[in-house]
Amino acid sequence: MEQIDCRKIAVILPAYNEEVSIGSAVLLARKYADRVIVVDDGSTDRTAELAAIAGAGPDRILSLRS
C-alpha cells in the first residue's frame, strides 16, 4: 500500500505597514508552504490588500486593530 504524506506546512507572517515587501514575502513563502497566513497588526497602508493579491487570500489575513 502506498503511503500518503499528510503533513502540511503553514507560514505565518507578522506585518505592520509592509506594503513595500509583503507581496514578495508571500510569493516566496508560497513556494515552500501549503498555507500562508498574514497577521496584519493594524497597518495604515495597503499591507492586507497586497498580501491578498499575492495569494495569502482574504480568509488568511488576520487584521489586528484596536
Side-chain angles (χ1 to χ4, degrees):
M1 177 180 260
E2 181 181 335
Q3 284 192 335
I4 298 173
D5 186 3
C6 295
R7 293 178 288 178
K8 301 280 184 183
I9 297 173
V11 172
I12 300 172
L13 299 172
Y16 179 74
N17 290 340
E18 294 292 339
E19 73 177 1
V20 172
S21 60
I22 194 65
S24 59
V26 169
L27 289 173
L28 182 62
R30 288 183 63 205
K31 288 184 177 183
Y32 302 100
D34 301 298
R35 295 185 71 177
V36 177
I37 300 166
V38 175
V39 179
D40 179 11
D41 196 11
S43 296
T44 57
D45 63 1
R46 297 174 54 217
T47 296
E49 178 185 346
L50 295 174
I53 290 170
D59 61 327
R60 295 186 181 159
I61 299 172
L62 307 174
S63 293
L64 305 176
R65 297 185 191 235
S66 33

